[in-house]
Amino acid sequence: CHRPARSMEGSPAQSSPREPAADIPPSLALVAPPDTANAGARDTSKAKPLLGGVSSSSLHVASLQSLPSPNMWHTVCLLEVVSILWIPLCPWTRTQQVTSSGSGFIIDGKRILTNAHVVANAIDIRVRPHGSPRRYKGRVATYGPDVDLAVVEIDESVAEDFWKAHGDV
């Protein structure tokens, strides 16, 4: 395909900033940030609305505020799981062991909430709290494959150490 050459009058360098399309409400139109003389400097006082009347600088602040606070990371855990898939037609045989991992979150009652597929067919579960090198033995307390949720409890032999070091929510 060959495009005809455009005249200099309609070139983007000389045209004014684009207006939002007529069929898009002005409050939802994306508008480019203002041009600045110094490309490295960020002048947020001249920020134009980006989406729904929200400036790009306030979007940056809002995205930082939506991050979890550092003191909430103590509720995050890594679950390292060893599982074996049993074959129902040959219960005396089984497949090879598979190691996988998933995330979990400490909830009320000294329990850990995770996805059911993480602990499905588990024969060994190790829970490693965020920022800790130590792993604690866990066991499945409740398993709900229909909603893909499971509750894991720390094994009684190490539960006191776990909850003393990492606390309940």
Side-chain angles (χ1 to χ4, degrees), residues 99-162:
T99 303
S100 61
S101 64
S103 59
F105 303 91
I106 297 173
I107 59 172
D108 247 357
K110 298 185 176 181
R111 298 169 296 171
I112 298 167
L113 181 67
T114 187
N115 291 107
H117 69 266
V118 171
V119 295
N121 304 309
I123 59 170
D124 185 47
I125 300 171
R126 301 294 166 162
V127 178
R128 188 167 62 87
H130 178 74
S132 171
R134 183 162 179 207
R135 301 179 315 158
Y136 300 87
K137 185 167 178 50
R139 67 175 185 81
V140 176
T142 307
Y143 180 74
D146 54 332
V147 291
D148 195 32
L149 290 174
V151 175
V152 173
E153 292 179 344
I154 303 299
D155 194 69
E156 292 175 10
S157 62
V158 293
E160 188 176 331
D161 294 339
F162 180 88

Short mmCIF file of all heavy atoms in Angstrom, two decimals, residues 99-162:
data_model
loop_
_atom_site.label_atom_id
_atom_site.label_comp_id
_atom_site.label_asym_id
_atom_site.label_seq_id
_atom_site.Cartn_x
_atom_site.Cartn_y
_atom_site.Cartn_z
N THR A 99 6.86 -32.00 43.19
CA THR A 99 7.05 -30.89 44.12
C THR A 99 6.53 -29.62 43.48
O THR A 99 6.84 -29.33 42.33
CB THR A 99 8.55 -30.72 44.47
OG1 THR A 99 9.04 -31.95 44.99
CG2 THR A 99 8.75 -29.62 45.47
N SER A 100 5.72 -28.89 44.23
CA SER A 100 5.17 -27.62 43.72
C SER A 100 5.11 -26.63 44.87
O SER A 100 5.39 -26.98 46.02
CB SER A 100 3.78 -27.84 43.12
OG SER A 100 2.90 -28.34 44.11
N SER A 101 4.75 -25.41 44.56
CA SER A 101 4.64 -24.39 45.60
C SER A 101 3.47 -23.47 45.29
O SER A 101 3.00 -23.39 44.16
CB SER A 101 5.94 -23.59 45.72
OG SER A 101 6.18 -22.89 44.53
N GLY A 102 3.03 -22.77 46.31
CA GLY A 102 1.94 -21.82 46.17
C GLY A 102 1.97 -20.86 47.34
O GLY A 102 2.78 -21.00 48.25
N SER A 103 1.07 -19.90 47.31
CA SER A 103 1.04 -18.91 48.39
C SER A 103 -0.10 -19.21 49.34
O SER A 103 -1.07 -19.88 49.00
CB SER A 103 0.88 -17.50 47.82
OG SER A 103 -0.31 -17.43 47.07
N GLY A 104 0.04 -18.68 50.54
CA GLY A 104 -0.99 -18.80 51.55
C GLY A 104 -0.96 -17.56 52.41
O GLY A 104 0.01 -16.79 52.39
N PHE A 105 -2.02 -17.36 53.19
CA PHE A 105 -2.14 -16.17 54.03
C PHE A 105 -2.62 -16.58 55.41
O PHE A 105 -3.57 -17.35 55.54
CB PHE A 105 -3.12 -15.17 53.41
CG PHE A 105 -2.73 -14.78 52.02
CD1 PHE A 105 -3.21 -15.48 50.92
CD2 PHE A 105 -1.84 -13.75 51.82
CE1 PHE A 105 -2.83 -15.14 49.64
CE2 PHE A 105 -1.45 -13.39 50.54
CZ PHE A 105 -1.94 -14.10 49.45
N ILE A 106 -1.94 -16.07 56.43
CA ILE A 106 -2.34 -16.35 57.80
C ILE A 106 -3.66 -15.66 58.07
O ILE A 106 -3.83 -14.48 57.79
CB ILE A 106 -1.25 -15.87 58.79
CG1 ILE A 106 0.05 -16.64 58.55
CG2 ILE A 106 -1.73 -16.04 60.23
CD1 ILE A 106 1.24 -16.14 59.35
N ILE A 107 -4.62 -16.43 58.61
CA ILE A 107 -5.94 -15.89 58.93
C ILE A 107 -6.21 -16.13 60.41
O ILE A 107 -5.40 -16.76 61.11
CB ILE A 107 -7.05 -16.52 58.05
CG1 ILE A 107 -7.10 -18.04 58.22
CG2 ILE A 107 -6.84 -16.15 56.58
CD1 ILE A 107 -8.28 -18.70 57.53
N ASP A 108 -7.34 -15.65 60.87
CA ASP A 108 -7.74 -15.82 62.27
C ASP A 108 -7.74 -17.29 62.68
O ASP A 108 -8.00 -18.17 61.85
CB ASP A 108 -9.15 -15.26 62.46
CG ASP A 108 -9.17 -14.04 63.34
OD1 ASP A 108 -8.11 -13.66 63.84
OD2 ASP A 108 -10.27 -13.47 63.52
N GLY A 109 -7.51 -17.55 63.93
CA GLY A 109 -7.59 -18.90 64.45
C GLY A 109 -6.33 -19.73 64.21
O GLY A 109 -6.40 -20.95 64.21
N LYS A 110 -5.21 -19.06 63.96
CA LYS A 110 -3.94 -19.74 63.71
C LYS A 110 -4.05 -20.76 62.58
O LYS A 110 -3.68 -21.92 62.71
CB LYS A 110 -3.43 -20.39 65.00
CG LYS A 110 -3.15 -19.37 66.08
CD LYS A 110 -2.53 -19.99 67.29
CE LYS A 110 -2.20 -18.90 68.29
NZ LYS A 110 -1.58 -19.41 69.49
N ARG A 111 -4.58 -20.27 61.47
CA ARG A 111 -4.73 -21.09 60.27
C ARG A 111 -4.15 -20.35 59.08
O ARG A 111 -3.94 -19.14 59.11
CB ARG A 111 -6.20 -21.41 60.03
CG ARG A 111 -6.82 -22.22 61.16
CD ARG A 111 -8.31 -22.31 61.03
NE ARG A 111 -8.86 -20.95 61.17
CZ ARG A 111 -10.11 -20.62 60.94
NH1 ARG A 111 -10.96 -21.52 60.54
NH2 ARG A 111 -10.52 -19.40 61.09
N ILE A 112 -3.95 -21.08 57.98
CA ILE A 112 -3.41 -20.52 56.75
C ILE A 112 -4.37 -20.84 55.62
O ILE A 112 -4.71 -22.02 55.41
CB ILE A 112 -2.00 -21.07 56.47
CG1 ILE A 112 -1.07 -20.65 57.62
CG2 ILE A 112 -1.48 -20.56 55.14
CD1 ILE A 112 0.24 -21.36 57.65
N LEU A 113 -4.80 -19.82 54.91
CA LEU A 113 -5.72 -19.99 53.78
C LEU A 113 -4.91 -20.06 52.50
O LEU A 113 -4.03 -19.24 52.26
CB LEU A 113 -6.69 -18.81 53.71
CG LEU A 113 -7.74 -18.86 52.61
CD1 LEU A 113 -8.73 -19.99 52.86
CD2 LEU A 113 -8.48 -17.53 52.53
N THR A 114 -5.20 -21.05 51.66
CA THR A 114 -4.52 -21.21 50.38
C THR A 114 -5.52 -21.72 49.36
O THR A 114 -6.68 -21.96 49.67
CB THR A 114 -3.30 -22.15 50.52
OG1 THR A 114 -2.56 -22.14 49.30
CG2 THR A 114 -3.73 -23.56 50.85
N ASN A 115 -5.06 -21.94 48.14
CA ASN A 115 -5.90 -22.54 47.11
C ASN A 115 -5.86 -24.06 47.24
O ASN A 115 -4.81 -24.63 47.55
CB ASN A 115 -5.43 -22.14 45.71
CG ASN A 115 -5.67 -20.67 45.45
OD1 ASN A 115 -4.75 -19.88 45.44
ND2 ASN A 115 -6.93 -20.30 45.25
N ALA A 116 -6.98 -24.70 46.96
CA ALA A 116 -7.07 -26.16 47.10
C ALA A 116 -6.14 -26.86 46.12
O ALA A 116 -5.56 -27.89 46.45
CB ALA A 116 -8.51 -26.62 46.90
N HIS A 117 -5.95 -26.31 44.91
CA HIS A 117 -5.09 -26.99 43.95
C HIS A 117 -3.63 -27.00 44.40
O HIS A 117 -2.85 -27.83 43.96
CB HIS A 117 -5.23 -26.37 42.56
CG HIS A 117 -4.67 -24.99 42.44
ND1 HIS A 117 -5.43 -23.87 42.60
CD2 HIS A 117 -3.41 -24.55 42.17
CE1 HIS A 117 -4.68 -22.80 42.43
NE2 HIS A 117 -3.43 -23.18 42.18
N VAL A 118 -3.26 -26.09 45.31
CA VAL A 118 -1.89 -26.06 45.82
C VAL A 118 -1.61 -27.29 46.68
O VAL A 118 -0.54 -27.88 46.61
CB VAL A 118 -1.63 -24.76 46.62
CG1 VAL A 118 -0.29 -24.80 47.34
CG2 VAL A 118 -1.71 -23.56 45.70
N VAL A 119 -2.59 -27.70 47.48
CA VAL A 119 -2.39 -28.81 48.42
C VAL A 119 -3.10 -30.10 47.99
O VAL A 119 -3.17 -31.05 48.77
CB VAL A 119 -2.83 -28.41 49.84
CG1 VAL A 119 -1.95 -27.30 50.38
CG2 VAL A 119 -4.29 -28.01 49.88
N ALA A 120 -3.60 -30.15 46.76
CA ALA A 120 -4.28 -31.36 46.28
C ALA A 120 -3.31 -32.54 46.26
O ALA A 120 -2.18 -32.42 45.79
CB ALA A 120 -4.85 -31.12 44.89
N ASN A 121 -3.73 -33.67 46.79
CA ASN A 121 -2.94 -34.91 46.83
C ASN A 121 -1.62 -34.75 47.57
O ASN A 121 -0.65 -35.45 47.28
CB ASN A 121 -2.68 -35.43 45.40
CG ASN A 121 -3.96 -35.63 44.63
OD1 ASN A 121 -4.88 -36.27 45.11
ND2 ASN A 121 -4.03 -35.04 43.44
N ALA A 122 -1.56 -33.85 48.52
CA ALA A 122 -0.31 -33.57 49.24
C ALA A 122 0.03 -34.70 50.20
O ALA A 122 -0.84 -35.21 50.92
CB ALA A 122 -0.42 -32.26 50.00
N ILE A 123 1.30 -35.07 50.22
CA ILE A 123 1.79 -36.01 51.23
C ILE A 123 2.73 -35.31 52.20
O ILE A 123 3.03 -35.83 53.27
CB ILE A 123 2.47 -37.25 50.60
CG1 ILE A 123 3.66 -36.83 49.75
CG2 ILE A 123 1.46 -38.07 49.81
CD1 ILE A 123 4.53 -37.99 49.28
N ASP A 124 3.22 -34.12 51.83
CA ASP A 124 4.07 -33.34 52.71
C ASP A 124 3.88 -31.86 52.38
O ASP A 124 3.95 -31.46 51.22
CB ASP A 124 5.54 -33.73 52.52
CG ASP A 124 6.46 -33.01 53.50
OD1 ASP A 124 6.14 -32.98 54.71
OD2 ASP A 124 7.49 -32.48 53.06
N ILE A 125 3.63 -31.06 53.41
CA ILE A 125 3.45 -29.61 53.24
C ILE A 125 4.42 -28.90 54.18
O ILE A 125 4.47 -29.21 55.37
CB ILE A 125 2.01 -29.17 53.57
CG1 ILE A 125 1.02 -29.88 52.66
CG2 ILE A 125 1.87 -27.66 53.46
CD1 ILE A 125 -0.43 -29.67 53.05
N ARG A 126 5.18 -27.98 53.63
CA ARG A 126 6.09 -27.15 54.42
C ARG A 126 5.68 -25.70 54.21
O ARG A 126 5.53 -25.24 53.08
CB ARG A 126 7.55 -27.35 54.00
CG ARG A 126 8.04 -28.76 54.11
CD ARG A 126 8.08 -29.20 55.55
NE ARG A 126 8.23 -30.65 55.63
CZ ARG A 126 8.63 -31.29 56.70
NH1 ARG A 126 8.91 -30.62 57.80
NH2 ARG A 126 8.72 -32.60 56.69
N VAL A 127 5.52 -24.98 55.32
CA VAL A 127 5.10 -23.58 55.29
C VAL A 127 6.30 -22.71 55.64
O VAL A 127 6.95 -22.92 56.67
CB VAL A 127 3.95 -23.34 56.30
CG1 VAL A 127 3.54 -21.87 56.29
CG2 VAL A 127 2.77 -24.24 55.99
N ARG A 128 6.59 -21.77 54.76
CA ARG A 128 7.70 -20.84 55.01
C ARG A 128 7.14 -19.42 55.01
O ARG A 128 6.71 -18.89 53.99
CB ARG A 128 8.76 -20.97 53.92
CG ARG A 128 10.02 -20.18 54.24
CD ARG A 128 11.17 -20.56 53.34
NE ARG A 128 10.93 -20.30 51.95
CZ ARG A 128 11.19 -19.14 51.36
NH1 ARG A 128 11.68 -18.13 52.04
NH2 ARG A 128 10.96 -18.99 50.08
N PRO A 129 7.11 -18.78 56.19
CA PRO A 129 6.62 -17.40 56.28
C PRO A 129 7.49 -16.44 55.48
O PRO A 129 8.68 -16.69 55.30
CB PRO A 129 6.69 -17.08 57.77
CG PRO A 129 6.75 -18.41 58.45
CD PRO A 129 7.46 -19.32 57.50
N HIS A 130 6.88 -15.36 55.02
CA HIS A 130 7.59 -14.35 54.23
C HIS A 130 8.79 -13.81 55.02
O HIS A 130 8.67 -13.43 56.18
CB HIS A 130 6.65 -13.20 53.88
CG HIS A 130 7.30 -12.11 53.11
ND1 HIS A 130 7.64 -12.25 51.79
CD2 HIS A 130 7.70 -10.87 53.48
CE1 HIS A 130 8.20 -11.14 51.37
NE2 HIS A 130 8.26 -10.29 52.38
N GLY A 131 9.95 -13.81 54.39
CA GLY A 131 11.16 -13.28 55.00
C GLY A 131 11.86 -14.23 55.95
O GLY A 131 12.85 -13.86 56.56
N SER A 132 11.37 -15.44 56.08
CA SER A 132 11.98 -16.41 57.00
C SER A 132 12.57 -17.57 56.21
O SER A 132 11.93 -18.07 55.29
CB SER A 132 10.93 -16.94 57.97
OG SER A 132 11.46 -18.01 58.73
N PRO A 133 13.76 -18.02 56.58
CA PRO A 133 14.33 -19.17 55.89
C PRO A 133 13.79 -20.51 56.42
O PRO A 133 13.93 -21.53 55.77
CB PRO A 133 15.83 -19.04 56.16
CG PRO A 133 15.90 -18.33 57.47
CD PRO A 133 14.71 -17.41 57.50
N ARG A 134 13.17 -20.47 57.59
CA ARG A 134 12.73 -21.71 58.23
C ARG A 134 11.40 -22.20 57.65
O ARG A 134 10.50 -21.41 57.37
CB ARG A 134 12.59 -21.49 59.73
CG ARG A 134 12.20 -22.77 60.45
CD ARG A 134 12.46 -22.73 61.90
NE ARG A 134 12.02 -24.00 62.48
CZ ARG A 134 11.63 -24.14 63.70
NH1 ARG A 134 11.66 -23.12 64.53
NH2 ARG A 134 11.23 -25.32 64.15
N ARG A 135 11.30 -23.52 57.50
CA ARG A 135 10.07 -24.15 57.01
C ARG A 135 9.45 -24.96 58.13
O ARG A 135 10.15 -25.63 58.88
CB ARG A 135 10.38 -25.04 55.82
CG ARG A 135 11.00 -24.28 54.68
CD ARG A 135 11.32 -25.13 53.48
NE ARG A 135 11.95 -26.37 53.85
CZ ARG A 135 11.96 -27.47 53.09
NH1 ARG A 135 11.39 -27.45 51.92
NH2 ARG A 135 12.56 -28.56 53.48
N TYR A 136 8.12 -24.88 58.23
CA TYR A 136 7.38 -25.58 59.28
C TYR A 136 6.45 -26.60 58.64
O TYR A 136 5.82 -26.33 57.61
CB TYR A 136 6.56 -24.59 60.10
CG TYR A 136 7.39 -23.52 60.79
CD1 TYR A 136 7.73 -22.35 60.14
CD2 TYR A 136 7.83 -23.71 62.10
CE1 TYR A 136 8.49 -21.38 60.77
CE2 TYR A 136 8.60 -22.74 62.74
CZ TYR A 136 8.92 -21.58 62.06
OH TYR A 136 9.67 -20.61 62.68
N LYS A 137 6.32 -27.76 59.26
CA LYS A 137 5.44 -28.80 58.74
C LYS A 137 3.99 -28.38 58.91
O LYS A 137 3.60 -27.87 59.96
CB LYS A 137 5.70 -30.12 59.47
CG LYS A 137 4.90 -31.28 58.91
CD LYS A 137 5.41 -32.59 59.45
CE LYS A 137 4.62 -33.76 58.93
NZ LYS A 137 4.42 -33.83 57.52
N GLY A 138 3.20 -28.59 57.87
CA GLY A 138 1.79 -28.26 57.91
C GLY A 138 0.94 -29.45 57.49
O GLY A 138 1.45 -30.45 56.98
N ARG A 139 -0.36 -29.33 57.73
CA ARG A 139 -1.30 -30.38 57.30
C ARG A 139 -2.60 -29.71 56.86
O ARG A 139 -2.95 -28.63 57.33
CB ARG A 139 -1.55 -31.39 58.41
CG ARG A 139 -2.28 -30.82 59.61
CD ARG A 139 -2.62 -31.90 60.64
NE ARG A 139 -3.41 -31.32 61.72
CZ ARG A 139 -4.72 -31.09 61.66
NH1 ARG A 139 -5.39 -31.38 60.56
NH2 ARG A 139 -5.36 -30.55 62.66
N VAL A 140 -3.31 -30.39 55.96
CA VAL A 140 -4.57 -29.85 55.46
C VAL A 140 -5.65 -30.08 56.51
O VAL A 140 -5.88 -31.21 56.95
CB VAL A 140 -4.97 -30.52 54.12
CG1 VAL A 140 -6.33 -30.03 53.67
CG2 VAL A 140 -3.93 -30.26 53.06
N ALA A 141 -6.31 -29.00 56.93
CA ALA A 141 -7.40 -29.10 57.89
C ALA A 141 -8.74 -29.15 57.18
O ALA A 141 -9.63 -29.90 57.57
CB ALA A 141 -7.36 -27.91 58.85
N THR A 142 -8.90 -28.35 56.13
CA THR A 142 -10.14 -28.30 55.35
C THR A 142 -9.78 -28.17 53.89
O THR A 142 -8.88 -27.41 53.52
CB THR A 142 -10.99 -27.09 55.78
OG1 THR A 142 -11.19 -27.13 57.19
CG2 THR A 142 -12.34 -27.10 55.09
N TYR A 143 -10.51 -28.90 53.05
CA TYR A 143 -10.23 -28.93 51.61
C TYR A 143 -11.54 -28.74 50.86
O TYR A 143 -12.46 -29.54 51.03
CB TYR A 143 -9.57 -30.27 51.28
CG TYR A 143 -9.22 -30.47 49.83
CD1 TYR A 143 -8.15 -29.81 49.25
CD2 TYR A 143 -9.94 -31.34 49.02
CE1 TYR A 143 -7.80 -29.99 47.93
CE2 TYR A 143 -9.61 -31.54 47.70
CZ TYR A 143 -8.54 -30.87 47.16
OH TYR A 143 -8.21 -31.05 45.84
N GLY A 144 -11.63 -27.70 50.04
CA GLY A 144 -12.85 -27.43 49.26
C GLY A 144 -12.53 -27.28 47.79
O GLY A 144 -12.36 -26.15 47.32
N PRO A 145 -12.44 -28.40 47.03
CA PRO A 145 -12.06 -28.27 45.62
C PRO A 145 -13.10 -27.54 44.77
O PRO A 145 -12.75 -26.95 43.76
CB PRO A 145 -11.91 -29.73 45.17
CG PRO A 145 -12.75 -30.52 46.12
CD PRO A 145 -12.70 -29.77 47.42
N ASP A 146 -14.36 -27.55 45.19
CA ASP A 146 -15.39 -26.87 44.41
C ASP A 146 -15.22 -25.36 44.40
O ASP A 146 -15.62 -24.68 43.46
CB ASP A 146 -16.79 -27.25 44.90
CG ASP A 146 -16.98 -27.01 46.39
OD1 ASP A 146 -15.97 -27.07 47.13
OD2 ASP A 146 -18.13 -26.78 46.82
N VAL A 147 -14.60 -24.81 45.43
CA VAL A 147 -14.34 -23.37 45.50
C VAL A 147 -12.84 -23.07 45.44
O VAL A 147 -12.43 -21.92 45.59
CB VAL A 147 -14.96 -22.73 46.76
CG1 VAL A 147 -16.47 -22.73 46.67
CG2 VAL A 147 -14.48 -23.42 48.01
N ASP A 148 -12.03 -24.10 45.26
CA ASP A 148 -10.57 -24.00 45.17
C ASP A 148 -9.95 -23.28 46.37
O ASP A 148 -9.10 -22.42 46.23
CB ASP A 148 -10.15 -23.33 43.86
CG ASP A 148 -8.67 -23.54 43.57
OD1 ASP A 148 -8.13 -24.59 43.96
OD2 ASP A 148 -8.04 -22.64 42.97
N LEU A 149 -10.42 -23.65 47.56
CA LEU A 149 -9.86 -23.10 48.79
C LEU A 149 -9.53 -24.24 49.74
O LEU A 149 -10.21 -25.26 49.76
CB LEU A 149 -10.83 -22.14 49.47
CG LEU A 149 -11.06 -20.80 48.78
CD1 LEU A 149 -12.16 -20.02 49.48
CD2 LEU A 149 -9.78 -19.99 48.71
N ALA A 150 -8.49 -24.04 50.54
CA ALA A 150 -8.11 -25.01 51.56
C ALA A 150 -7.56 -24.26 52.76
O ALA A 150 -7.04 -23.15 52.64
CB ALA A 150 -7.07 -25.98 51.01
N VAL A 151 -7.68 -24.88 53.92
CA VAL A 151 -7.13 -24.33 55.15
C VAL A 151 -6.05 -25.29 55.62
O VAL A 151 -6.26 -26.49 55.71
CB VAL A 151 -8.22 -24.15 56.23
CG1 VAL A 151 -7.60 -23.69 57.54
CG2 VAL A 151 -9.27 -23.16 55.75
N VAL A 152 -4.89 -24.72 55.91
CA VAL A 152 -3.74 -25.51 56.38
C VAL A 152 -3.46 -25.11 57.82
O VAL A 152 -3.54 -23.92 58.16
CB VAL A 152 -2.50 -25.25 55.49
CG1 VAL A 152 -1.27 -25.92 56.05
CG2 VAL A 152 -2.78 -25.70 54.06
N GLU A 153 -3.16 -26.10 58.65
CA GLU A 153 -2.75 -25.83 60.02
C GLU A 153 -1.31 -26.27 60.18
O GLU A 153 -0.86 -27.21 59.53
CB GLU A 153 -3.64 -26.59 61.00
CG GLU A 153 -5.07 -26.07 61.01
CD GLU A 153 -5.97 -26.84 61.97
OE1 GLU A 153 -5.59 -27.96 62.40
OE2 GLU A 153 -7.06 -26.33 62.28
N ILE A 154 -0.60 -25.59 61.07
CA ILE A 154 0.78 -25.96 61.37
C ILE A 154 0.76 -27.19 62.27
O ILE A 154 -0.05 -27.27 63.21
CB ILE A 154 1.53 -24.79 62.05
CG1 ILE A 154 1.49 -23.54 61.17
CG2 ILE A 154 2.96 -25.16 62.40
CD1 ILE A 154 2.16 -23.71 59.82
N ASP A 155 1.64 -28.14 61.99
CA ASP A 155 1.72 -29.36 62.78
C ASP A 155 1.98 -29.02 64.25
O ASP A 155 2.74 -28.10 64.55
CB ASP A 155 2.85 -30.25 62.23
CG ASP A 155 2.78 -31.65 62.78
OD1 ASP A 155 1.85 -32.39 62.43
OD2 ASP A 155 3.69 -31.99 63.57
N GLU A 156 1.31 -29.77 65.14
CA GLU A 156 1.40 -29.48 66.58
C GLU A 156 2.83 -29.50 67.11
O GLU A 156 3.14 -28.78 68.06
CB GLU A 156 0.54 -30.47 67.36
CG GLU A 156 -0.94 -30.30 67.11
CD GLU A 156 -1.77 -31.37 67.80
OE1 GLU A 156 -1.21 -32.14 68.62
OE2 GLU A 156 -2.97 -31.44 67.52
N SER A 157 3.71 -30.29 66.51
CA SER A 157 5.08 -30.40 67.02
C SER A 157 5.88 -29.10 66.84
O SER A 157 6.84 -28.87 67.57
CB SER A 157 5.80 -31.56 66.33
OG SER A 157 5.88 -31.34 64.94
N VAL A 158 5.50 -28.27 65.88
CA VAL A 158 6.23 -27.02 65.63
C VAL A 158 5.32 -25.79 65.70
O VAL A 158 5.78 -24.67 65.47
CB VAL A 158 6.93 -27.06 64.25
CG1 VAL A 158 8.05 -28.07 64.24
CG2 VAL A 158 5.94 -27.30 63.14
N ALA A 159 4.04 -25.99 66.04
CA ALA A 159 3.08 -24.89 66.05
C ALA A 159 3.48 -23.79 67.02
O ALA A 159 3.38 -22.60 66.71
CB ALA A 159 1.68 -25.40 66.37
N GLU A 160 3.93 -24.16 68.20
CA GLU A 160 4.30 -23.15 69.21
C GLU A 160 5.43 -22.26 68.69
O GLU A 160 5.38 -21.04 68.83
CB GLU A 160 4.71 -23.83 70.51
CG GLU A 160 4.91 -22.85 71.65
CD GLU A 160 5.21 -23.55 72.96
OE1 GLU A 160 4.75 -24.68 73.16
OE2 GLU A 160 5.93 -22.93 73.77
N ASP A 161 6.44 -22.86 68.06
CA ASP A 161 7.56 -22.09 67.51
C ASP A 161 7.08 -21.16 66.39
O ASP A 161 7.48 -20.00 66.31
CB ASP A 161 8.65 -23.01 66.96
CG ASP A 161 9.32 -23.83 68.04
OD1 ASP A 161 9.26 -23.43 69.22
OD2 ASP A 161 9.91 -24.86 67.70
N PHE A 162 6.23 -21.69 65.52
CA PHE A 162 5.73 -20.90 64.39
C PHE A 162 4.96 -19.68 64.88
O PHE A 162 5.24 -18.56 64.46
CB PHE A 162 4.83 -21.77 63.50
CG PHE A 162 4.27 -21.03 62.31
CD1 PHE A 162 4.98 -20.97 61.12
CD2 PHE A 162 3.03 -20.39 62.37
CE1 PHE A 162 4.47 -20.29 60.01
CE2 PHE A 162 2.52 -19.71 61.28
CZ PHE A 162 3.25 -19.67 60.10
#
